[in-house]
Amino acid sequence: MSEERALTRGLYFEDLEIGWKVRTPGRTVTETDIVMFAGLSGDYTPLHTDAEYARGTIFGERIAHGLLGLAIASGLATRLGFLEETVEAFTGLEWRFRAPIRIGDTIYVEIEVTQKRPAPNGRAGFVIFSVEVRNQRGEVVQKGQWTLLIRARGAEGMNLEQR
């Protein structure tokens, strides 16, 4: 399946074929994002919050927290809507931080379905997505795999006890 931008809302396990690809819109990372994430997470590491300190690092300036990049990537993926009302759980990830995300970088996410397997109850299935976060120059800044439990068709009206 070719790369898509506009998506149907709430794709089911059966709809997600291996090789299916999608790209999110971009989002510019701001100083405010970094300050707010530091406050939310409690991570005030000087590399992210102290301009003078950060000038003396290998990056030469403040950079975004790696986990902020991951959080933004998750948000960008959900904006597409393909997981809306069909995702049951985010069950795991393998993740690599490859390059810094700098203040002013615009990042986007490329997602591809690489593996699928039905859950034992048949009401959902595990989908493994290859995920790359890229900056405005197309450089991969973060990448890895996300495993999500996605509802199967016919399971939409059931509550958790019935599944």
Side-chain angles (χ1 to χ4, degrees):
M1 196 176 282
S2 64
E3 187 173 307
E4 299 177 27
R5 272 191 180 260
L7 299 170
T8 303
R9 294 279 188 231
L11 297 178
Y12 290 91
F13 176 75
E14 296 85 352
D15 300 327
L16 293 164
E17 300 173 10
I18 293 175
W20 180 84
K21 295 179 183 180
V22 69
R23 177 181 165 172
T24 71
R27 183 191 185 290
T28 301
V29 178
T30 67
E31 179 176 13
T32 301
D33 294 325
I34 293 169
V35 171
M36 290 178 63
F37 188 81
L40 176 67
S41 66
D43 180 352
Y44 291 95
T45 302
L47 178 60
H48 311 301
T49 61
D50 182 333
E52 292 304 313
Y53 173 86
R55 267 192 206 96
T57 70
I58 61 172
F59 303 111
E61 63 185 317
R62 288 173 296 152
I63 61 171
H65 302 74
L67 292 176
L68 172 58
L70 177 59
I72 291 171
S74 173
L76 287 171
T78 61
R79 280 181 56 192
L80 295 176
F82 71 95
L83 301 171
E84 200 169 285
E85 298 183 12
T86 55
V87 66
E88 297 284 324
F90 191 125
T91 63
L93 76 151
E94 291 182 19
W95 204 244
R96 300 286 182 261
F97 303 96
R98 309 295 295 177
I101 297 173
R102 300 176 188 281
I103 295 170
D105 278 354
T106 299
I107 60 173
Y108 62 92
V109 183
E110 293 181 346
I111 303 165
E112 179 178 359
V113 174
T114 57
Q115 296 178 48
K116 292 175 57 175
R117 69 178 165 79
N121 66 11
R123 304 282 185 196
F126 294 95
V127 179
I128 298 177
F129 297 90
S130 173
V131 179
E132 291 185 341
V133 180
R134 294 178 177 268
N135 63 21
Q136 68 276 11
R137 292 177 298 282
E139 300 162 339
V140 175
V141 294
Q142 297 184 6
K143 69 185 226 175
Q145 293 184 336
W146 296 352
T147 304
L148 281 74
L149 184 64
I150 307 292
R151 188 176 306 146
R153 287 197 182 281
E156 58 274 346
M158 301 181 159
N159 62 35
L160 288 176
E161 290 77 34
Q162 293 173 305
R163 291 185 197 155

mmCIF file of all heavy atoms in Angstrom, residues 57-98:
data_model
loop_
_atom_site.group_PDB
_atom_site.id
_atom_site.type_symbol
_atom_site.label_atom_id
_atom_site.label_comp_id
_atom_site.label_asym_id
_atom_site.label_seq_id
_atom_site.Cartn_x
_atom_site.Cartn_y
_atom_site.Cartn_z
ATOM 1 N N THR A 57 28.383 22.337 25.593
ATOM 2 C CA THR A 57 28.223 20.907 25.298
ATOM 3 C C THR A 57 28.531 20.621 23.833
ATOM 4 O O THR A 57 28.727 21.552 23.038
ATOM 5 C CB THR A 57 26.790 20.440 25.615
ATOM 6 O OG1 THR A 57 25.884 21.019 24.656
ATOM 7 C CG2 THR A 57 26.374 20.802 27.037
ATOM 8 N N ILE A 58 28.510 19.359 23.465
ATOM 9 C CA ILE A 58 28.759 18.984 22.070
ATOM 10 C C ILE A 58 27.692 19.525 21.120
ATOM 11 O O ILE A 58 27.938 19.639 19.922
ATOM 12 C CB ILE A 58 28.881 17.452 21.900
ATOM 13 C CG1 ILE A 58 27.594 16.741 22.309
ATOM 14 C CG2 ILE A 58 30.066 16.914 22.663
ATOM 15 C CD1 ILE A 58 27.568 15.259 21.985
ATOM 16 N N PHE A 59 26.537 19.904 21.662
ATOM 17 C CA PHE A 59 25.457 20.419 20.817
ATOM 18 C C PHE A 59 25.550 21.934 20.638
ATOM 19 O O PHE A 59 24.982 22.475 19.694
ATOM 20 C CB PHE A 59 24.095 20.036 21.408
ATOM 21 C CG PHE A 59 23.954 18.554 21.587
ATOM 22 C CD1 PHE A 59 23.917 17.996 22.858
ATOM 23 C CD2 PHE A 59 23.886 17.699 20.494
ATOM 24 C CE1 PHE A 59 23.801 16.634 23.033
ATOM 25 C CE2 PHE A 59 23.763 16.332 20.652
ATOM 26 C CZ PHE A 59 23.727 15.795 21.929
ATOM 27 N N GLY A 60 26.221 22.631 21.562
ATOM 28 C CA GLY A 60 26.413 24.070 21.459
ATOM 29 C C GLY A 60 25.192 24.908 21.765
ATOM 30 O O GLY A 60 25.240 26.133 21.643
ATOM 31 N N GLU A 61 24.110 24.275 22.145
ATOM 32 C CA GLU A 61 22.871 24.979 22.453
ATOM 33 C C GLU A 61 21.943 24.018 23.181
ATOM 34 O O GLU A 61 22.188 22.812 23.217
ATOM 35 C CB GLU A 61 22.195 25.478 21.178
ATOM 36 C CG GLU A 61 21.770 24.341 20.247
ATOM 37 C CD GLU A 61 21.209 24.817 18.922
ATOM 38 O OE1 GLU A 61 20.413 25.783 18.921
ATOM 39 O OE2 GLU A 61 21.558 24.224 17.895
ATOM 40 N N ARG A 62 20.863 24.581 23.752
ATOM 41 C CA ARG A 62 19.865 23.725 24.389
ATOM 42 C C ARG A 62 19.191 22.858 23.341
ATOM 43 O O ARG A 62 18.997 23.291 22.197
ATOM 44 C CB ARG A 62 18.804 24.568 25.103
ATOM 45 C CG ARG A 62 19.325 25.231 26.352
ATOM 46 C CD ARG A 62 18.318 26.181 26.934
ATOM 47 N NE ARG A 62 18.108 27.264 25.976
ATOM 48 C CZ ARG A 62 17.004 27.967 25.861
ATOM 49 N NH1 ARG A 62 15.976 27.730 26.642
ATOM 50 N NH2 ARG A 62 16.910 28.928 24.976
ATOM 51 N N ILE A 63 18.836 21.654 23.739
ATOM 52 C CA ILE A 63 18.105 20.737 22.864
ATOM 53 C C ILE A 63 16.896 20.204 23.629
ATOM 54 O O ILE A 63 16.826 20.288 24.858
ATOM 55 C CB ILE A 63 18.994 19.572 22.369
ATOM 56 C CG1 ILE A 63 19.511 18.743 23.548
ATOM 57 C CG2 ILE A 63 20.138 20.095 21.494
ATOM 58 C CD1 ILE A 63 20.204 17.453 23.148
ATOM 59 N N ALA A 64 15.960 19.656 22.881
ATOM 60 C CA ALA A 64 14.762 19.071 23.485
ATOM 61 C C ALA A 64 15.117 17.782 24.214
ATOM 62 O O ALA A 64 16.044 17.064 23.820
ATOM 63 C CB ALA A 64 13.720 18.789 22.408
ATOM 64 N N HIS A 65 14.377 17.496 25.260
ATOM 65 C CA HIS A 65 14.488 16.197 25.928
ATOM 66 C C HIS A 65 14.160 15.105 24.904
ATOM 67 O O HIS A 65 13.239 15.268 24.099
ATOM 68 C CB HIS A 65 13.459 16.079 27.055
ATOM 69 C CG HIS A 65 13.534 17.128 28.107
ATOM 70 N ND1 HIS A 65 13.118 18.434 27.909
ATOM 71 C CD2 HIS A 65 13.930 17.044 29.398
ATOM 72 C CE1 HIS A 65 13.276 19.104 29.030
ATOM 73 N NE2 HIS A 65 13.764 18.294 29.950
ATOM 74 N N GLY A 66 14.873 14.010 24.960
ATOM 75 C CA GLY A 66 14.563 12.900 24.060
ATOM 76 C C GLY A 66 13.129 12.417 24.224
ATOM 77 O O GLY A 66 12.425 12.149 23.245
ATOM 78 N N LEU A 67 12.682 12.332 25.480
ATOM 79 C CA LEU A 67 11.320 11.860 25.724
ATOM 80 C C LEU A 67 10.271 12.864 25.253
ATOM 81 O O LEU A 67 9.143 12.473 24.927
ATOM 82 C CB LEU A 67 11.123 11.520 27.200
ATOM 83 C CG LEU A 67 11.926 10.298 27.672
ATOM 84 C CD1 LEU A 67 11.745 10.107 29.179
ATOM 85 C CD2 LEU A 67 11.531 9.049 26.908
ATOM 86 N N LEU A 68 10.623 14.135 25.174
ATOM 87 C CA LEU A 68 9.712 15.114 24.587
ATOM 88 C C LEU A 68 9.508 14.798 23.109
ATOM 89 O O LEU A 68 8.383 14.828 22.604
ATOM 90 C CB LEU A 68 10.238 16.540 24.772
ATOM 91 C CG LEU A 68 9.472 17.650 24.050
ATOM 92 C CD1 LEU A 68 8.004 17.687 24.460
ATOM 93 C CD2 LEU A 68 10.149 18.994 24.301
ATOM 94 N N GLY A 69 10.580 14.479 22.413
ATOM 95 C CA GLY A 69 10.464 14.094 21.006
ATOM 96 C C GLY A 69 9.562 12.884 20.829
ATOM 97 O O GLY A 69 8.711 12.847 19.930
ATOM 98 N N LEU A 70 9.721 11.889 21.691
ATOM 99 C CA LEU A 70 8.880 10.691 21.639
ATOM 100 C C LEU A 70 7.417 11.047 21.908
ATOM 101 O O LEU A 70 6.509 10.571 21.217
ATOM 102 C CB LEU A 70 9.381 9.649 22.639
ATOM 103 C CG LEU A 70 8.569 8.365 22.764
ATOM 104 C CD1 LEU A 70 8.478 7.621 21.447
ATOM 105 C CD2 LEU A 70 9.198 7.472 23.850
ATOM 106 N N ALA A 71 7.178 11.904 22.892
ATOM 107 C CA ALA A 71 5.810 12.315 23.213
ATOM 108 C C ALA A 71 5.171 13.068 22.044
ATOM 109 O O ALA A 71 4.005 12.833 21.707
ATOM 110 C CB ALA A 71 5.803 13.163 24.479
ATOM 111 N N ILE A 72 5.929 13.955 21.424
ATOM 112 C CA ILE A 72 5.398 14.692 20.271
ATOM 113 C C ILE A 72 5.110 13.727 19.128
ATOM 114 O O ILE A 72 4.083 13.842 18.450
ATOM 115 C CB ILE A 72 6.355 15.819 19.840
ATOM 116 C CG1 ILE A 72 6.375 16.928 20.905
ATOM 117 C CG2 ILE A 72 5.950 16.394 18.474
ATOM 118 C CD1 ILE A 72 7.439 17.984 20.684
ATOM 119 N N ALA A 73 5.992 12.752 18.913
ATOM 120 C CA ALA A 73 5.775 11.755 17.853
ATOM 121 C C ALA A 73 4.465 11.004 18.080
ATOM 122 O O ALA A 73 3.687 10.782 17.145
ATOM 123 C CB ALA A 73 6.949 10.780 17.787
ATOM 124 N N SER A 74 4.215 10.621 19.315
ATOM 125 C CA SER A 74 2.966 9.932 19.638
ATOM 126 C C SER A 74 1.767 10.822 19.331
ATOM 127 O O SER A 74 0.774 10.372 18.745
ATOM 128 C CB SER A 74 2.983 9.538 21.115
ATOM 129 O OG SER A 74 1.747 9.006 21.509
ATOM 130 N N GLY A 75 1.851 12.083 19.709
ATOM 131 C CA GLY A 75 0.773 13.014 19.425
ATOM 132 C C GLY A 75 0.548 13.214 17.937
ATOM 133 O O GLY A 75 -0.600 13.267 17.469
ATOM 134 N N LEU A 76 1.633 13.331 17.175
ATOM 135 C CA LEU A 76 1.497 13.486 15.724
ATOM 136 C C LEU A 76 0.817 12.268 15.109
ATOM 137 O O LEU A 76 -0.026 12.399 14.217
ATOM 138 C CB LEU A 76 2.867 13.726 15.082
ATOM 139 C CG LEU A 76 3.482 15.098 15.322
ATOM 140 C CD1 LEU A 76 4.936 15.132 14.834
ATOM 141 C CD2 LEU A 76 2.666 16.195 14.652
ATOM 142 N N ALA A 77 1.181 11.082 15.584
ATOM 143 C CA ALA A 77 0.559 9.854 15.067
ATOM 144 C C ALA A 77 -0.942 9.836 15.363
ATOM 145 O O ALA A 77 -1.743 9.494 14.491
ATOM 146 C CB ALA A 77 1.242 8.629 15.658
ATOM 147 N N THR A 78 -1.331 10.233 16.555
ATOM 148 C CA THR A 78 -2.755 10.194 16.890
ATOM 149 C C THR A 78 -3.552 11.240 16.115
ATOM 150 O O THR A 78 -4.737 11.037 15.850
ATOM 151 C CB THR A 78 -3.004 10.370 18.408
ATOM 152 O OG1 THR A 78 -2.508 11.628 18.828
ATOM 153 C CG2 THR A 78 -2.359 9.264 19.196
ATOM 154 N N ARG A 79 -2.910 12.338 15.724
ATOM 155 C CA ARG A 79 -3.611 13.363 14.927
ATOM 156 C C ARG A 79 -4.133 12.808 13.613
ATOM 157 O O ARG A 79 -5.101 13.327 13.055
ATOM 158 C CB ARG A 79 -2.672 14.534 14.620
ATOM 159 C CG ARG A 79 -2.523 15.488 15.767
ATOM 160 C CD ARG A 79 -1.613 16.646 15.437
ATOM 161 N NE ARG A 79 -2.033 17.389 14.257
ATOM 162 C CZ ARG A 79 -1.272 18.290 13.652
ATOM 163 N NH1 ARG A 79 -0.072 18.567 14.106
ATOM 164 N NH2 ARG A 79 -1.723 18.940 12.597
ATOM 165 N N LEU A 80 -3.507 11.759 13.091
ATOM 166 C CA LEU A 80 -3.928 11.197 11.812
ATOM 167 C C LEU A 80 -5.268 10.481 11.906
ATOM 168 O O LEU A 80 -5.943 10.298 10.903
ATOM 169 C CB LEU A 80 -2.861 10.254 11.266
ATOM 170 C CG LEU A 80 -1.533 10.911 10.906
ATOM 171 C CD1 LEU A 80 -0.526 9.875 10.464
ATOM 172 C CD2 LEU A 80 -1.730 11.975 9.827
ATOM 173 N N GLY A 81 -5.631 10.011 13.095
ATOM 174 C CA GLY A 81 -6.942 9.413 13.294
ATOM 175 C C GLY A 81 -7.055 7.921 13.044
ATOM 176 O O GLY A 81 -8.070 7.322 13.351
ATOM 177 N N PHE A 82 -6.041 7.293 12.475
ATOM 178 C CA PHE A 82 -6.181 5.880 12.134
ATOM 179 C C PHE A 82 -6.276 4.975 13.351
ATOM 180 O O PHE A 82 -6.736 3.833 13.251
ATOM 181 C CB PHE A 82 -5.093 5.411 11.164
ATOM 182 C CG PHE A 82 -3.703 5.307 11.730
ATOM 183 C CD1 PHE A 82 -3.223 4.103 12.211
ATOM 184 C CD2 PHE A 82 -2.860 6.417 11.737
ATOM 185 C CE1 PHE A 82 -1.935 4.002 12.711
ATOM 186 C CE2 PHE A 82 -1.574 6.323 12.229
ATOM 187 C CZ PHE A 82 -1.107 5.116 12.725
ATOM 188 N N LEU A 83 -5.897 5.477 14.526
ATOM 189 C CA LEU A 83 -6.005 4.693 15.759
ATOM 190 C C LEU A 83 -7.224 5.087 16.587
ATOM 191 O O LEU A 83 -7.487 4.493 17.635
ATOM 192 C CB LEU A 83 -4.738 4.878 16.614
ATOM 193 C CG LEU A 83 -3.431 4.465 15.958
ATOM 194 C CD1 LEU A 83 -2.250 4.889 16.807
ATOM 195 C CD2 LEU A 83 -3.420 2.966 15.719
ATOM 196 N N GLU A 84 -7.969 6.068 16.110
ATOM 197 C CA GLU A 84 -9.091 6.611 16.867
ATOM 198 C C GLU A 84 -10.153 5.545 17.126
ATOM 199 O O GLU A 84 -10.693 4.949 16.198
ATOM 200 C CB GLU A 84 -9.702 7.768 16.078
ATOM 201 C CG GLU A 84 -10.530 8.708 16.896
ATOM 202 C CD GLU A 84 -10.853 9.949 16.093
ATOM 203 O OE1 GLU A 84 -9.946 10.792 15.931
ATOM 204 O OE2 GLU A 84 -12.003 10.064 15.627
ATOM 205 N N GLU A 85 -10.404 5.276 18.391
ATOM 206 C CA GLU A 85 -11.423 4.348 18.868
ATOM 207 C C GLU A 85 -11.169 2.883 18.522
ATOM 208 O O GLU A 85 -12.041 2.044 18.738
ATOM 209 C CB GLU A 85 -12.819 4.781 18.400
ATOM 210 C CG GLU A 85 -13.215 6.148 18.938
ATOM 211 C CD GLU A 85 -14.609 6.563 18.545
ATOM 212 O OE1 GLU A 85 -15.386 5.723 18.047
ATOM 213 O OE2 GLU A 85 -14.929 7.742 18.736
ATOM 214 N N THR A 86 -10.007 2.570 17.966
ATOM 215 C CA THR A 86 -9.690 1.162 17.709
ATOM 216 C C THR A 86 -8.452 0.690 18.464
ATOM 217 O O THR A 86 -8.247 -0.513 18.599
ATOM 218 C CB THR A 86 -9.488 0.879 16.201
ATOM 219 O OG1 THR A 86 -8.487 1.752 15.691
ATOM 220 C CG2 THR A 86 -10.800 1.043 15.438
ATOM 221 N N VAL A 87 -7.629 1.604 18.944
ATOM 222 C CA VAL A 87 -6.453 1.188 19.707
ATOM 223 C C VAL A 87 -6.909 0.790 21.107
ATOM 224 O O VAL A 87 -7.674 1.493 21.759
ATOM 225 C CB VAL A 87 -5.350 2.270 19.740
ATOM 226 C CG1 VAL A 87 -5.783 3.502 20.499
ATOM 227 C CG2 VAL A 87 -4.066 1.712 20.320
ATOM 228 N N GLU A 88 -6.484 -0.380 21.528
ATOM 229 C CA GLU A 88 -6.814 -0.893 22.861
ATOM 230 C C GLU A 88 -5.708 -0.551 23.858
ATOM 231 O O GLU A 88 -5.998 -0.260 25.006
ATOM 232 C CB GLU A 88 -6.985 -2.420 22.815
ATOM 233 C CG GLU A 88 -8.130 -2.878 21.951
ATOM 234 C CD GLU A 88 -9.473 -2.670 22.614
ATOM 235 O OE1 GLU A 88 -9.565 -2.826 23.840
ATOM 236 O OE2 GLU A 88 -10.428 -2.338 21.900
ATOM 237 N N ALA A 89 -4.455 -0.634 23.410
ATOM 238 C CA ALA A 89 -3.335 -0.390 24.322
ATOM 239 C C ALA A 89 -2.053 -0.177 23.530
ATOM 240 O O ALA A 89 -1.868 -0.745 22.463
ATOM 241 C CB ALA A 89 -3.154 -1.568 25.280
ATOM 242 N N PHE A 90 -1.185 0.631 24.088
ATOM 243 C CA PHE A 90 0.199 0.776 23.618
ATOM 244 C C PHE A 90 0.977 -0.199 24.490
ATOM 245 O O PHE A 90 1.143 0.036 25.683
ATOM 246 C CB PHE A 90 0.644 2.218 23.830
ATOM 247 C CG PHE A 90 1.937 2.594 23.156
ATOM 248 C CD1 PHE A 90 1.979 3.674 22.299
ATOM 249 C CD2 PHE A 90 3.104 1.890 23.387
ATOM 250 C CE1 PHE A 90 3.167 4.055 21.677
ATOM 251 C CE2 PHE A 90 4.299 2.253 22.771
ATOM 252 C CZ PHE A 90 4.319 3.338 21.914
ATOM 253 N N THR A 91 1.433 -1.310 23.925
ATOM 254 C CA THR A 91 1.975 -2.390 24.758
ATOM 255 C C THR A 91 3.492 -2.432 24.848
ATOM 256 O O THR A 91 4.022 -3.167 25.680
ATOM 257 C CB THR A 91 1.462 -3.759 24.274
ATOM 258 O OG1 THR A 91 1.942 -3.992 22.948
ATOM 259 C CG2 THR A 91 -0.060 -3.813 24.311
ATOM 260 N N GLY A 92 4.178 -1.673 24.014
ATOM 261 C CA GLY A 92 5.633 -1.690 24.126
ATOM 262 C C GLY A 92 6.311 -0.884 23.041
ATOM 263 O O GLY A 92 5.693 -0.477 22.062
ATOM 264 N N LEU A 93 7.611 -0.652 23.267
ATOM 265 C CA LEU A 93 8.399 0.038 22.260
ATOM 266 C C LEU A 93 9.871 -0.292 22.429
ATOM 267 O O LEU A 93 10.322 -0.652 23.511
ATOM 268 C CB LEU A 93 8.192 1.555 22.308
ATOM 269 C CG LEU A 93 8.860 2.344 23.419
ATOM 270 C CD1 LEU A 93 9.141 3.751 22.917
ATOM 271 C CD2 LEU A 93 7.968 2.422 24.616
ATOM 272 N N GLU A 94 10.581 -0.207 21.331
ATOM 273 C CA GLU A 94 12.049 -0.187 21.291
ATOM 274 C C GLU A 94 12.367 1.157 20.662
ATOM 275 O O GLU A 94 11.783 1.506 19.633
ATOM 276 C CB GLU A 94 12.595 -1.314 20.412
ATOM 277 C CG GLU A 94 12.404 -2.689 20.983
ATOM 278 C CD GLU A 94 13.013 -3.759 20.076
ATOM 279 O OE1 GLU A 94 13.870 -3.423 19.228
ATOM 280 O OE2 GLU A 94 12.598 -4.906 20.207
ATOM 281 N N TRP A 95 13.309 1.905 21.253
ATOM 282 C CA TRP A 95 13.489 3.280 20.788
ATOM 283 C C TRP A 95 14.947 3.684 20.821
ATOM 284 O O TRP A 95 15.677 3.318 21.741
ATOM 285 C CB TRP A 95 12.651 4.218 21.666
ATOM 286 C CG TRP A 95 12.295 5.500 20.988
ATOM 287 C CD1 TRP A 95 12.686 6.748 21.360
ATOM 288 C CD2 TRP A 95 11.473 5.668 19.830
ATOM 289 N NE1 TRP A 95 12.157 7.685 20.491
ATOM 290 C CE2 TRP A 95 11.409 7.041 19.552
ATOM 291 C CE3 TRP A 95 10.800 4.776 18.992
ATOM 292 C CZ2 TRP A 95 10.697 7.559 18.474
ATOM 293 C CZ3 TRP A 95 10.085 5.288 17.926
ATOM 294 C CH2 TRP A 95 10.035 6.655 17.676
ATOM 295 N N ARG A 96 15.364 4.444 19.818
ATOM 296 C CA ARG A 96 16.727 4.966 19.719
ATOM 297 C C ARG A 96 16.669 6.466 19.482
ATOM 298 O O ARG A 96 15.890 6.948 18.653
ATOM 299 C CB ARG A 96 17.478 4.319 18.555
ATOM 300 C CG ARG A 96 17.625 2.812 18.657
ATOM 301 C CD ARG A 96 18.668 2.444 19.697
ATOM 302 N NE ARG A 96 18.860 1.026 19.786
ATOM 303 C CZ ARG A 96 18.317 0.238 20.706
ATOM 304 N NH1 ARG A 96 17.536 0.737 21.615
ATOM 305 N NH2 ARG A 96 18.560 -1.047 20.725
ATOM 306 N N PHE A 97 17.507 7.174 20.211
ATOM 307 C CA PHE A 97 17.651 8.620 20.038
ATOM 308 C C PHE A 97 18.904 8.818 19.192
ATOM 309 O O PHE A 97 20.013 8.573 19.647
ATOM 310 C CB PHE A 97 17.757 9.297 21.402
ATOM 311 C CG PHE A 97 16.571 9.001 22.282
ATOM 312 C CD1 PHE A 97 16.620 7.984 23.218
ATOM 313 C CD2 PHE A 97 15.399 9.722 22.154
ATOM 314 C CE1 PHE A 97 15.533 7.694 24.027
ATOM 315 C CE2 PHE A 97 14.297 9.443 22.956
ATOM 316 C CZ PHE A 97 14.364 8.426 23.890
ATOM 317 N N ARG A 98 18.737 9.237 17.940
ATOM 318 C CA ARG A 98 19.828 9.246 16.966
ATOM 319 C C ARG A 98 20.520 10.606 16.822
ATOM 320 O O ARG A 98 21.687 10.668 16.490
ATOM 321 C CB ARG A 98 19.301 8.818 15.592
ATOM 322 C CG ARG A 98 18.494 7.524 15.596
ATOM 323 C CD ARG A 98 19.293 6.334 15.977
ATOM 324 N NE ARG A 98 20.303 6.136 14.953
ATOM 325 C CZ ARG A 98 21.241 5.210 14.980
ATOM 326 N NH1 ARG A 98 21.298 4.387 15.986
ATOM 327 N NH2 ARG A 98 22.126 5.101 14.027
#
